[in-house]
């Protein structure tokens, strides 16, 4: 008998019944990155690759109980947030993050599903800006989310840089603005680090509709890398590579916006 110890991580998010995004994508990614994933379920969705049909937030009492249970037993090395449903649930999560001194914390401000369905109310967006982003070690909005957070259009590289500085001024230590919703043959993400160092990460734009859960996967890969002791910059670069491979080596699932291939990097042990 051989027993091994792995870093323990936490995802705080909603469930995707179709398995492509949300807590399901988080756990698949974390498992592929060789860390142990625990989870706190904030909301349930009825969802497939075509659309989100229903959303049901969990009772606040149950969310609090999940936090208490996790932190009574597990040694969490890094955590991430995903879809948090509404303002009341964002405040509940924020309270628990403070209570259990959760760090490093990666905030993926999930607002819109790949099919276009809005997953977060405007009031909840404001609560994320005021209460959650200031707790983030890394915040990872895509273009529409960054525009909603900063209340500005983001088109040029200068816009990316301005928006990232605005988000950093809200309290986030490190900022990634993802360029997947942009145009062109390459996808370019802009990274602004806490020390002022910034850089662009570019990769091929693949002609596929199988990109459901991209943001969840990126933030989960970064969380996993941080738990394993990677620096902030190395963790971000690893996350970008993980997502690129998960899209490039696609799988055929469903009839709409299909999920990524979360085992695409299996066997590439030097990188995970």
């Amino acid at each position: 008998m051989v027993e091994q110890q792995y870093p323990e991580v936490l995802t705080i998010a909603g469930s995707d019944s179709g398995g492509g995004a949300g807590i399901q994508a988080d756990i698949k990614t974390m498992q592929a990155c060789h860390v142990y994933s625990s989870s706190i379920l904030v909301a349930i969705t009825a969802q497939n690759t075509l659309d989100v049909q229903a959303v049901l937030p969990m009772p606040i009492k149950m969310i609090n109980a999940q936090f208490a249970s996790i932190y009574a037993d597990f040694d969490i090395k890094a955590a991430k947030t995903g879809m948090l449903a509404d303002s009341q649930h964002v405040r509940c999560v924020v309270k628990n993050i403070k209570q259990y001194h959760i760090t490093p914390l990666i905030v993926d401000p999930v607002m819109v599903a790949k099919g276009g369905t809005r997953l977060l109310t405007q009031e909840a967006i404001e609560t994320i800006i005021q209460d959650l982003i200031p707790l983030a070690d890394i915040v990872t909005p895509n273009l529409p989310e960054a525009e909603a957070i900063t209340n500005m259009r983001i088109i040029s590289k200068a816009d990316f840089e301005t928006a990232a500085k605005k988000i950093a001024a809200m309290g986030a230590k490190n900022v990634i603005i993802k360029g997947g919703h942009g145009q062109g043959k390459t996808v370019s993400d802009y990274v602004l680090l806490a020390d002022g160092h910034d850089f662009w990460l570019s990769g091929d734009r693949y002609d596929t509709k199988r990109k459901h859960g991209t943001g969840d996967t990126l933030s989960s890969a970064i969380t996993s890398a941080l738990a394993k002791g990677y620096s902030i910059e190395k963790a971000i670069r690893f996350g970008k590579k993980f997502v690129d491979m998960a899209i490039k080596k696609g799988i055929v699932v469903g009839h709409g916006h299909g999920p990524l291939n979360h085992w695409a990097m299996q066997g590439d042990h030097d990188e995970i």
Side-chain angles (χ1 to χ4, degrees):
M1 178 179 176
V2 178
E3 293 184 332
Q4 296 184 353
Q5 188 171 10
Y6 292 92
E8 298 163 21
V9 296
L10 173 64
T11 169
I12 308 159
S15 167
D16 173 359
S17 59
I23 274 181
Q24 286 85 343
D26 294 339
I27 292 173
K28 290 174 186 178
T29 301
M30 292 164 174
Q31 184 80 8
C33 293
H34 299 176
V35 298
Y36 181 85
S37 174
S38 58
S39 60
I40 290 173
L41 188 61
V42 177
I44 301 169
T45 68
Q47 183 176 173
N48 52 32
T49 64
L50 299 173
D51 200 1
V52 179
Q53 292 81 36
V55 178
L56 178 65
M58 296 294 289
I60 295 296
K61 184 177 180 180
M62 187 60 188
I63 296 173
N64 290 333
Q66 290 178 82
F67 273 101
S69 181
I70 292 297
Y71 280 92
D73 188 21
F74 297 97
D75 181 17
I76 302 300
K77 297 298 186 185
K80 62 146 291 186
T81 65
M83 192 273 280
L84 300 179
D86 57 31
S87 186
Q88 180 189 22
H89 286 75
V90 174
R91 287 194 295 269
C92 171
V93 168
V94 165
K95 177 183 74 70
N96 281 282
I97 289 169
K98 291 178 178 178
Q99 178 178 340
Y100 296 102
H101 308 289
I102 300 175
T103 186
L105 177 70
I106 292 76
V107 171
D108 181 15
V110 180
M111 297 176 185
V112 181
K114 188 65 70 177
T117 300
R118 188 160 181 159
L119 298 174
L120 210 60
T121 65
Q122 184 59 42
E123 182 185 6
I125 292 173
E126 294 301 323
T127 307
I128 283 178
I129 291 170
Q130 295 172 16
D131 299 337
L132 184 58
I133 285 179
L135 304 178
D137 291 280
I138 307 175
V139 63
T140 65
N142 60 29
L143 275 176
E145 291 160 352
E147 290 181 340
I149 291 168
T150 60
N151 195 30
M152 63 174 284
R153 287 281 288 150
I154 303 172
I155 300 172
S156 68
K157 284 193 170 184
D159 294 336
F160 273 80
E161 295 170 5
T162 299
K165 289 176 182 176
K166 283 189 174 185
I167 296 172
M170 295 172 185
K173 296 181 182 67
N174 303 276
V175 181
I176 310 167
I177 298 182
K178 300 172 291 189
H181 286 75
Q183 304 295 321
K185 294 181 179 180
T186 62
V187 176
S188 295
D189 304 334
Y190 177 68
V191 181
L192 176 63
L193 300 182
D195 62 4
H197 175 54
D198 66 339
F199 56 93
W200 289 86
L201 290 175
S202 296
D204 294 332
R205 185 183 299 278
Y206 300 108
D207 184 18
T208 175
K209 62 180 181 179
R210 306 189 187 282
K211 299 178 182 178
H212 181 51
T214 304
D216 305 285
T217 300
L218 175 68
S219 55
S220 294
I222 293 171
T223 303
S224 302
L226 290 176
K228 298 181 78 169
Y230 285 36
S231 68
I232 294 285
E233 180 171 345
K234 187 177 179 183
I236 291 169
R237 291 185 183 277
F238 167 74
K240 177 73 171 181
K241 179 177 180 180
F242 188 99
V243 169
D244 183 78
M245 294 292 287
I247 297 173
K248 183 179 180 180
K249 298 180 179 180
I251 54 175
V252 179
V253 175
H255 298 85
H257 296 282
L260 310 186
N261 176 4
H262 291 100
W263 58 86
M265 283 184 66
Q266 228 169 18
D268 198 353
H269 299 297
D270 290 340
E271 295 295 333
I272 58 177

